[in-house]
């Protein structure tokens, strides 16, 4: 709690499992013991912090009477928000609706707290469940960008927000303060940083969410957008700009475009991005908005770069063993190693391992051409496992091997 | 209809938009005209086919009275299934429930037809909406594997099926005949063939769906699985087998493993896969189940291979211009070309374009290491655009450049 003192508004969230399954197998405790624990924990916290959120974990599998009792206790001890978690993503909208209604009707002091909802997506219903809770009277939703979270993840922020906005007719009393124009860019940034790819058929932020393929749909869309589109892509920050920047574009045009894309960047940052933009424009004929967003993302992620790539050279082919020479800068000195491998990336990574002597385990490797055309930039994301921890790394380049090496070094820089 | 004569059971699905928005902007027709059209189309089809499914498109945005009228007409003319589409993915579960209930209560001849539901996922609620329709009395769900479909896609089969199975207590009168043990493998196959990546946080079939990261969850899972897992991964065909095959494994062990994984393959196919398995085992220390599934998928996709890779050799690096030499077999003759490029893949593709002279546009490029370790197999998926059509190609190799070239040729083979 003392660590929170610097926060403008701070809240402590206590959670305690209440379902029979969790009581029996996780805690090996009786209901009365859990109730006593909830009381003590809330009281203790109340002396340190005014704003307490209390979650009866696995609430959707908890017996109603016990659930009412524990909520009443938490509120009595000072909890101001009662969060209802569907911890294992087991529930469906009608059930959530009746659960929230029952809590509102049966917990005597419920008017002293607001109800929150926390849904997991194990059966694919996290968003619908969250919204159903709101219809029943919940005032707060736990959600995450791109729906990331434990297992199948949590309710996705972009879907929740856009549903509330699109169905104003239904959610008359609800609102969010999310600036929807930041949604697309934020989703992209989170995807880059976490290595969780957004599939093309993801609602709101997927590549195809506003793409119409069938002839019937295309024809109707051309006649009138609302025939098959309930959200204007501009609302979530997807600009269908036709303005293309190229190697003859100047710093001013770039700065304006970055501003139009919603980035607020200082002069120094713009200079840095302009330099990278020029390098890119020399390699690519057209620099698209997606290219620029990717460049800014690279720039934003300022990390200590202990290992830095100096150069890499690879020779590979079907009739030979792939071979790589990598040169790395580490604490002002250059190190170089050569290695064979099963493939060119493997050869590079083995050469790096020779230099660093760290040898982590490679868990996953993904490469995506995130911009259009053959001269697209490739985004490589790697996940490595070292001393009990999973670490992600990512990097961008028009050369997939350069990106692969940089992504690996990015991950290594996080573990050393 | 004559093309359908060979089918054991055949059905014709007629759809006709009924919402005011579609009538006004798409058809520029009045309600009476649409009603007359529905009557005529159903009657015409009825003379050719017994089993007719009728969809009032954009039903969720259609005025109720007109919707009831057109459904009644379609049933009168012989439609046996009435499908209710949420065409723009605009609805939410409670609304779908009341819509289906209203249809059941207000369409006089509804007892002569069964109700079906067809949901889109634009607001992330397709699965919950479909299940809500079932609770209201619908007997058929339109769904797709991995939730693919127009824009954000349709209700995902695996989520719908596993929700009905997991919540037997709620869906007492409903069932599916889906063999759930095929779900994981089918999802993987569809992903490979379509190039639509399954994100790690996808319910049921995502890589993380049964992964527990937080310490609290891990601890509880070890005590008792049901604390945080409502579905046993085995139910959907994810075997947590520890049996590892390597280069010393024989044909018999491989055949048994393939059988355990659920593949029914003839002797010839097993021979072919065994050959490839041996080649792979020479490159990789351990061959995992995922490797085998990938190999079988490669083998299953038998296509005419007009362009075939003979060899490729690439030299690339940060201090040089990437350069590729590709040799391709086409109609019993070998062709060879060399090219520079912005990156090694670009260099390969430019060399191929020189040989084929087709020059399609590259829409997307993705690479995933689908098996574990540094010597993993890389799956490359490319999407190219040529003469108004998008075509996907994919290929597998431990060398990402070899896989890149093969995936491109795979796509080219589909357009020539």
């Amino acid at each position: 709690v003392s660590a929170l003192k610097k926060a403008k508004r701070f809240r402590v969230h206590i959670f305690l499992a209440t379902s029979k399954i969790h009581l029996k197998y996780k805690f090996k405790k009786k209901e009365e013991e859990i109730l006593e624990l909830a009381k003590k924990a809330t009281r203790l916290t109340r002396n340190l912090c005014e704003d307490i959120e209390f979650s009866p974990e696995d609430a959707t599998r908890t017996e109603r009477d016990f659930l009412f009792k524990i909520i009443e206790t938490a509120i009595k001890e000072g909890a101001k928000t009662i969060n209802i978690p569907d911890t294992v993503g087991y529930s469906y909208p009608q059930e959530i609706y009746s659960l929230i209604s029952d809590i509102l009707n049966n917990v005597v002091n419920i008017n002293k707290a607001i109800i929150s909802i926390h849904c997991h997506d194990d059966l694919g219903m996290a968003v619908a469940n969250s919204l159903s809770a709101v219809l029943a009277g919940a005032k707060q939703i736990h959600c995450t960008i791109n729906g990331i979270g434990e297992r199948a993840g949590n309710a996705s922020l972009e879907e929740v927000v856009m549903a509330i906005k699109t169905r104003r007719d239904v959610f008359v009393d609800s609102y969010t303060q999310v600036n929807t124009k930041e949604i697309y860019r934020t989703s992209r940034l989170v995807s880059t940083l976490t290595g969780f790819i957004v599939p093309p058929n993801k609602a709101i932020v997927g590549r195809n969410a506003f793409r119409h393929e069938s002839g019937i749909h295309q024809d109707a869309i051309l006649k009138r957008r609302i025939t098959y589109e309930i959200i204007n892509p501009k609302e979530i920050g997807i600009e269908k700009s036709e303005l293309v920047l190229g190697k003859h574009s100047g710093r001013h045009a770039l700065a304006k475009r970055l501003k139009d894309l919603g980035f607020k960047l200082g002069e120094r940052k713009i200079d840095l991005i302009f330099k990278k933009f020029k390098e890119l424009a020399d390699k690519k004929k057209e620099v698209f908005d997606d290219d620029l967003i990717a460049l800014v993302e690279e720039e934003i992620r300022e990390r200590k770069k202990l290992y830095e790539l100096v150069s890499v050279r690879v020779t590979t082919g079907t009739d030979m063993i792939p071979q790589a020479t990598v040169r790395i800068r580490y604490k002002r000195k250059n190190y170089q190693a050569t290695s064979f491998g099963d493939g060119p990336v493997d050869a590079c990574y083995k050469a790096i391992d020779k230099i660093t002597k760290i040898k982590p385990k490679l868990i996953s490797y993904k490469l995506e051409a995130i911009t259009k055309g053959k001269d697209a930039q490739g985004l490589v994301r790697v996940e490595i496992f070292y001393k009990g921890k999973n670490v992600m790394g990512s990097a961008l380049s028009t050369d997939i091997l350069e990106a692969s090496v940089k992504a690996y070094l990015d991950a290594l820089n996080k573990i050393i």
Side-chain angles (χ1 to χ4, degrees), chain A residues 251 254 268-282 295 299:
Chain A
R251 192 185 171 286
L254 176 75
R268 206 184 58 87
K269 278 262 188 276
I270 291 174
D271 283 342
L272 280 169
I273 289 162
F274 184 62
K275 206 178 139 224
K276 288 198 172 179
F277 161 75
K278 276 293 188 187
E279 283 169 17
L280 184 66
D282 277 341
L295 280 184
E299 201 44 53

Side-chain angles (χ1 to χ4, degrees), chain A residues 161-173:
Chain A
V161 169
M162 292 316 291
I164 288 174
K165 201 172 168 184
T166 308
R167 297 306 305 266
R168 268 272 126 257
D169 58 323
V170 181
F171 297 97
V172 274
D173 300 323

Side-chain angles (χ1 to χ4, degrees), chain A residues 15-31:
Chain A
F15 68 93
L16 189 61
T18 49
S19 69
K20 279 219 160 129
I21 294 169
H22 277 223
L23 261 55
K24 190 168 168 193
Y25 300 115
K26 197 168 107 173
F27 292 138
K28 298 182 178 42
K29 279 193 198 303
K30 292 211 182 80
E31 287 192 349

Side-chain angles (χ1 to χ4, degrees), chain A residues 78-134:
Chain A
K80 292 196 173 152
T81 304
I82 297 296
N83 177 59
I84 303 301
D86 182 24
T87 304
V88 290
Y90 179 73
S91 211
Y92 63 99
Q94 279 84 350
E95 194 174 45
I96 292 282
Y97 189 93
S98 80
L99 174 63
I100 303 293
S101 304
D102 281 359
I103 291 169
L104 284 166
N105 292 328
N106 291 287
V107 177
V108 291
N109 54 1
I110 194 70
N111 60 326
K112 289 186 186 138
I114 69 157
I115 297 184
S116 164
I117 182 83
H118 174 106
C119 293
H120 279 267
D121 204 35
D122 296 74
L123 295 176
M125 290 186 273
V127 169
N129 283 342
S130 304
L131 294 171
S132 196
V134 169

Side-chain angles (χ1 to χ4, degrees), chain A residues 216-217 219-230:
Chain A
I216 295 166
H217 290 208
D219 171 65
I221 280 281
L222 289 175
K223 287 177 182 158
R224 187 60 73 112
R225 201 182 53 79
I226 54 163
T227 49
Y228 287 98
E229 216 168 81
I230 53 175

Side-chain angles (χ1 to χ4, degrees), chain A residues 328-347:
Chain A
I328 289 171
R329 192 166 188 82
Y330 178 68
K331 292 187 178 167
R332 288 188 199 159
K333 265 171 98 175
N334 285 352
Y335 299 86
Q336 177 169 324
T338 295
S339 179
F340 292 105
D342 294 319
V345 176
D346 184 42

Side-chain angles (χ1 to χ4, degrees), chain A residues 46-263:
Chain A
R46 184 62 193 79
N47 294 327
L48 304 162
C49 166
E50 264 195 32
D51 192 354
I52 300 174
E53 178 164 345
F54 180 85
S55 287
E57 205 199 348
D58 206 15
T60 49
R61 292 195 296 180
T62 300
E63 306 234 315
R64 294 277 157 108
D65 284 340
F66 181 56
L67 185 66
F68 301 153
K69 220 183 283 175
I70 206 157
I71 292 174
E72 191 189 323
T73 304
I75 295 174
K76 203 184 278 170
E77 297 300 333
K80 292 196 173 152
T81 304
I82 297 296
N83 177 59
I84 303 301
D86 182 24
T87 304
V88 290
Y90 179 73
S91 211
Y92 63 99
Q94 279 84 350
E95 194 174 45
I96 292 282
Y97 189 93
S98 80
L99 174 63
I100 303 293
S101 304
D102 281 359
I103 291 169
L104 284 166
N105 292 328
N106 291 287
V107 177
V108 291
N109 54 1
I110 194 70
N111 60 326
K112 289 186 186 138
I114 69 157
I115 297 184
S116 164
I117 182 83
H118 174 106
C119 293
H120 279 267
D121 204 35
D122 296 74
L123 295 176
M125 290 186 273
V127 169
N129 283 342
S130 304
L131 294 171
S132 196
V134 169
L135 290 177
K139 305 261 183 241
Q140 175 186 287
I141 295 176
H142 285 190
C143 52
T144 63
I145 289 153
N146 298 343
I148 55 175
E150 191 78 20
R151 302 187 314 278
N154 290 86
S156 117
L157 177 133
E158 58 277 15
E159 292 169 17
V160 163
V161 169
M162 292 316 291
I164 288 174
K165 201 172 168 184
T166 308
R167 297 306 305 266
R168 268 272 126 257
D169 58 323
V170 181
F171 297 97
V172 274
D173 300 323
S174 310
Y175 68 95
T176 76
Q177 287 183 317
V178 169
N179 176 359
T180 62
K181 299 215 165 161
E182 297 289 340
I183 282 182
Y184 182 67
R185 229 174 10 252
T186 312
S187 161
R188 278 285 307 275
L189 182 63
V190 168
S191 174
T192 309
L193 295 177
T194 60
F196 274 58
I197 285 176
V198 173
N201 56 337
K202 168 87 173 65
I204 314 294
V205 291
R207 179 166 58 94
N208 290 359
F210 299 100
R211 254 198 190 181
H212 306 273
E213 224 171 84
S214 90
I216 295 166
H217 290 208
Q218 285 179 347
D219 171 65
I221 280 281
L222 289 175
K223 287 177 182 158
R224 187 60 73 112
R225 201 182 53 79
I226 54 163
T227 49
Y228 287 98
E229 216 168 81
I230 53 175
I231 295 168
N232 185 335
K234 280 193 177 168
E235 276 184 50
I236 61 157
I238 298 179
E239 294 289 336
K240 304 237 151 163
S241 160
E242 293 305 312
L243 176 67
V244 172
L245 293 170
K247 65 170 161 183
H248 303 298
S249 305
R251 192 185 171 286
H252 186 71
L254 176 75
K256 187 179 177 320
R257 192 82 211 105
L258 290 172
K259 207 182 143 204
D260 289 348
L261 284 169
F263 292 112

